[in-house]
Amino acid sequence: MFQIKNVTLTHKKDLRTILEDFSLVLNDGDRAVMIGEEGNGKSTLMKWIYDPELVEDYIEYSGEKVINGERLGYLPQELPEQEKSKTVCEYFMEASGFLDKTPKELSKLANDFHVESEFYYREQTMQTLSGGERVKAQMMRILIEEPTILLLDEPSNDIDIETLEWMESFINSWKHAVLFISHDETLIEHTANRVIHFEQIRRKTKCRHTVANVPYRTYVEERLNAFEKQEQIALGERREKKIRDEKLRKLEQSVGASLDNISHAERDAIGRLLKKKMKNVKSMEKRFEREDEDMTEMPEQEEAIFFKLGDKDSSIPSGKWVLEYESPELKTSDGSRVLAENIVLKIRGSEKIAIVGTNGCGKTTLLSKIAEDLLSRPDLKAQYMPQNYEVLLNLDESPVDFLEEALIMNRFGNGQGNNVDVHDRKVPGGKEDRTRIRTYLGALKYTADEMDHPIRELSGGQKAKVLLLKLSMSRANVLILDEPTRNFSPLSGPVIRKMLKEFPGAVISVSHDRKYLDEVCDKIYRLTENGLFPVEDKR
């Protein structure tokens, strides 16, 4: 059994409490998912559970954890900086128990993760692996160390669909406890038997948590029904209050008017009665005020994000060729290995396509080459959202500063910012632009403090929001997206999918999100070593 008691987490910089008096007990067989909007403290709590030193630079905390001899295995959302330069072989050799494993045991684990047995001994550095391969390597090393409790921060990020299905099976068959964070709604629906929901309400001035011992879909439905019932009761009570208060007001006016109009002769007898009646009215008013304090409150919930991608200028004529890409071979970024041959991809009009395939097959490499071509096209307004956000984000800037520069680049550089000095004070914008940007960020649930934090201090989902807002402000008609939904909560996921589905331009993407593939994409292609092949055409 693992237990945490009365944990409170507070940001040191803005003194905002993100979790208050939180307790949890995990037993064998628990598959508990933590959900909530981006920046609500899920990853911070998981880091604290594993090692409080991971958060002490930016978080003040109180509370305790009771481990009782359990062994914790932790998968962080991002590979730690000190691990990136190690070779894959060095990374595995440092795992306790790796040298004690038999070749058969290692081979079985590799097979489960759809990698070859030689994967353990690669001389390739961890940072040069594909995103999915890095997640697989981390998970494999954790399992080699034989933990009894798994702490998984986004285990579904970047792994292919085959491995996702294995992950579902693995979590369901794990005999001990699993505490995980995921933005993959399908994974959550298929695995979680407990839901831990973190919220920031009242414009992020109050935190709230809910622990429900039910599957995710049941939790969502019961929560919605409870909110609707509470809202109906609260509205009914307010309607009754309005009618009651109106009757009381009329009664008070009537008694007051009678007192004002009483004759001198009637003042003694009738006057005493009217004053007594007025006293009773005032007494009723005070009693009603006390009763109103116990009225059912209107339900409060953290709303999902909202904004729009594209406008009427983002549409593309149905007959226009957006992409006619052909390449005899696709190589790794360093040119050392051929990933695929005979690549052909043609896109016309406002098609929304996705590329799928096994980890390491070259999807991200192919998408970056497509982006390279489309970003230079003068007849298109293309925007690119890479899998690694740091390619585009300056982590030392605030979201406001980054987006102000992006806005100026879009305005004067045909979307690319060519030859524009973003610090030139002659460029129009200034205060008006920054106010506009802050309004947009507010719609994405940023607090005023978070808008001015360095981007490096934001969660993965908050960084993704900055890039999506950049796309929204660009008036692009072609979006090139590498795993666009990977860092959004299950609550924001439906909003993001709807937004991309309704985007009037073309979308070229790489994704393993099964709901995204089903709800957004018109065509799905699979990348293999022999080329790019259609899997599904919904048109």
Side-chain angles (χ1 to χ4, degrees), residues 303-467:
E303 297 178 354
I305 63 172
F306 173 78
F307 68 101
K308 189 175 181 180
L309 271 178
D311 53 28
K312 62 181 181 180
D313 295 329
S314 300
S315 61
I316 297 177
S318 58
K320 180 179 176 63
W321 285 104
V322 173
L323 181 68
E324 295 180 271
Y325 184 88
E326 295 187 29
S327 177
E329 59 183 18
L330 177 69
K331 292 185 175 182
T332 55
S333 56
D334 60 5
S336 62
R337 185 160 57 99
V338 175
L339 298 168
E341 296 179 328
N342 304 317
I343 305 294
V344 178
L345 180 60
K346 296 184 179 183
I347 299 171
R348 186 162 58 182
S350 58
E351 289 183 334
K352 295 172 175 59
I353 73 106
I355 300 170
V356 300
T358 58
N359 290 130
C361 71
K363 300 183 299 296
T364 291
T365 302
L366 174 59
L367 197 69
S368 67
K369 290 184 178 299
I370 291 172
E372 204 174 294
D373 286 353
L374 294 182
L375 290 172
S376 63
R377 284 265 296 274
D379 61 323
L380 296 173
K381 291 182 180 178
Q383 286 286 322
Y384 177 42
M385 182 177 177
Q387 187 183 109
N388 179 6
Y389 303 148
E390 296 181 16
V391 171
L392 295 183
L393 293 173
N394 180 343
L395 300 184
D396 294 321
E397 284 186 314
S398 70
V400 173
D401 290 337
F402 172 80
L403 290 169
E404 182 185 27
E405 293 181 8
L407 191 63
I408 295 170
M409 288 178 176
N410 286 325
R411 185 178 295 147
F412 292 94
N414 193 29
Q416 305 308 315
N418 300 330
N419 302 317
V420 177
D421 181 359
V422 298
H423 300 292
D424 185 353
R425 293 298 87 193
K426 295 180 182 179
V427 173
K431 185 177 180 180
E432 183 178 334
D433 278 346
R434 293 178 75 86
T435 300
R436 177 183 168 196
I437 289 165
R438 285 182 177 276
T439 301
Y440 290 154
L441 287 168
L444 296 181
K445 310 305 176 189
Y446 280 81
T447 65
D449 288 319
E450 288 170 337
M451 295 178 195
D452 294 318
H453 283 183
I455 291 174
R456 69 172 66 256
E457 295 181 7
L458 302 179
S459 70
Q462 287 175 308
K463 292 172 184 174
K465 285 179 180 179
V466 171
L467 288 180

Side-chain angles (χ1 to χ4, degrees), residues 2-7 22-24 45 48-49 64-65:
F2 171 81
Q3 185 175 11
I4 54 179
K5 298 179 180 179
N6 310 115
V7 175
F22 175 73
S23 297
L24 179 70
L45 174 62
W48 180 88
I49 292 172
E64 62 176 314
K65 58 180 178 179

